[in-house]
Amino acid sequence: MLISALEQILTTLVADGVFGNVSYLGLEKDETELGASCSADLTFVKMIVNENGKKELPLVVKVRYGNPQVRKNRNLDAQFHNEVVMYKEVIPFLGARNFYPQMFHAVSNIGDESEEDILILENLKYKNFLMPKQRVFLDIDHISVAIKKIAEFHSFSFILKHEDKESFLRMTKKFKDVVFPPEIAHEFNIINAACIQRGIKPLLKDNVSVDLLTNCLSLLKNPFKTRDLIAFPEEPFGVICHGDYCNNNILYKFDENDKPMDCIFFDFQFSTYGSVAIDIFFFLYLNTDAELREKYWDDILKLYWDTLRHCVPVHINIPSYEDFLKHFAERVIYGYTIAAFFLPTMMEDIPYFGNDTEVSTIEEKLAKVLSIGGEKAERKLTEIVLHLLDKDYIRPYIELCKYKKFEC
């Protein structure tokens, strides 16, 4: 976003008292900050104000993605709308504090006026919330902090469903469905289905659980339909989900020993009303390796449920731990389908998320995506499938599909 245009917006907001009792002095680009987003354009600035002396207010400014064809293909206007709704309405309604950056200003329009879309947030780097040093696979300290935080966030949904279910459900309807154009959805299904096979084919070649994995693949060949089955907010497990809960969208605060002690979330464009399982399996399969899963998996799930139970008053019922584990087991495989698509590119020094403006055939796109990360990425995906087999998570998914009469 042009600094001159941003200055006009900020001077108006200062005059309106959005930033408190301050006066506007100027604006500087924050050259220490770098950032990228697949769904919006980011600008990092420091607004200079007078508040009993000169003061800097570090800000993150998000505006709609510049390329109109990419916006259409990915339905980025709906994503931007959902993020604004989360900041302006849903999170305040939940009463969730200390979970996200402060929002100073937000505008979202769907249609011709969407060029006015803007989101202005505080830059929490200056409150010592930072990205973790590990780029992909986190240690148990980071995992534990993030799992406890998402459990606490989910607890607000259980509380409000109990106190005012009608208002809660009305709030969940403010999200817009992120629906891709048919041709884009078809292409994504082909590519994602191929990515899913990437971690399974080596096991089939070695005659590992051939019937079970072949049956599973037949039920995963349409990832969009699988998502709709898994994400459906089947009560009593429906909550407001972050929807894109992974390492890229979490900032941690560290103690003097560099150990994480708290975290906050950002990038709410995929937030939705869905199953509690979504945020958990999304986070775990994108951010744990086989060694950590082997050692801590059951403890992590218990930590989530114990935190949820602790945060929800005892007079409010939540699903039992056993029921939670059953619900999770039926749906966790979708975490693998997400990891199959994103984990290899996150393992690259320069992540590749595709470029909708490229002139390339579906065959060329498949070749590119399936080569990302090389043998190491393929091995990591195969390790996730082995974990699914070891925890007996594939059978519950197949049984859920039978029960729901789900067909691809």
Side-chain angles (χ1 to χ4, degrees), residues 174-336:
K174 291 182 177 290
F175 296 113
K176 292 189 178 296
D177 292 333
V178 180
V179 179
F180 295 173
E183 66 276 12
I184 301 299
H186 176 68
E187 182 177 278
F188 175 81
N189 268 328
I190 292 174
I191 293 174
N192 197 187
C195 292
I196 291 167
Q197 293 179 39
R198 190 177 180 187
I200 294 177
K201 279 185 174 181
L203 297 177
L204 293 177
K205 185 178 179 180
D206 291 340
N207 293 315
V208 176
S209 302
V210 173
D211 291 342
L212 191 65
L213 290 177
T214 301
N215 192 2
C216 178
L217 274 177
S218 71
L219 294 169
L220 293 175
K221 62 186 178 182
N222 188 328
F224 274 125
K225 287 189 68 175
T226 304
R227 178 198 65 183
D228 293 341
L229 171 71
I230 297 300
F232 185 78
E234 186 174 286
E235 292 299 348
F237 298 95
V239 297
I240 302 294
C241 301
H242 180 285
D244 194 11
Y245 195 57
C246 66
N247 195 22
N248 286 353
N249 298 327
I250 302 173
L251 297 174
Y252 293 85
K253 178 170 278 191
F254 300 88
D255 64 17
E256 64 277 5
N257 298 314
D258 209 25
K259 182 177 180 178
M261 57 181 182
D262 194 11
C263 70
I264 61 95
F265 325 143
F266 58 98
D267 279 1
F268 291 99
Q269 62 266 21
F270 286 107
S271 293
T272 186
Y273 174 44
S275 164
V276 295
I278 296 172
D279 287 333
I280 307 170
F281 62 57
F282 196 111
F283 177 73
L284 290 181
Y285 276 143
L286 273 177
N287 298 290
T288 62
D289 60 15
E291 182 180 356
L292 188 140
R293 291 192 294 269
E294 174 68 24
K295 190 172 182 180
Y296 294 111
W297 185 265
D298 293 342
D299 294 335
I300 293 168
L301 297 184
K302 187 63 161 58
L303 177 63
Y304 170 86
W305 189 87
D306 285 345
T307 304
L308 182 68
R309 179 67 279 179
H310 174 76
C311 293
V312 177
V314 292
H315 69 278
I316 298 176
N317 290 328
I318 64 170
S320 68
Y321 183 53
E322 292 71 25
D323 287 344
F324 160 71
L325 290 179
K326 179 178 184 297
H327 179 85
F328 182 80
E330 293 170 340
R331 290 159 176 81
V332 66
I333 195 170
Y334 190 63
Y336 165 69

Side-chain angles (χ1 to χ4, degrees), residues 352-395:
Y352 172 81
F353 293 106
N355 183 347
D356 294 351
T357 63
E358 286 182 346
V359 179
S360 59
T361 65
I362 183 65
E363 290 78 15
E364 290 170 332
K365 291 179 180 179
L366 278 170
K368 173 68 176 178
V369 170
L370 295 178
S371 68
I372 294 173
E375 293 182 1
K376 182 178 180 180
E378 183 176 292
R379 184 170 66 253
K380 293 297 182 182
L381 295 180
T382 299
E383 288 172 354
I384 295 177
V385 179
L386 286 171
H387 181 258
L388 290 165
L389 289 169
D390 179 62
K391 302 301 292 186
D392 195 23
Y393 283 150
I394 295 180
R395 294 181 194 278

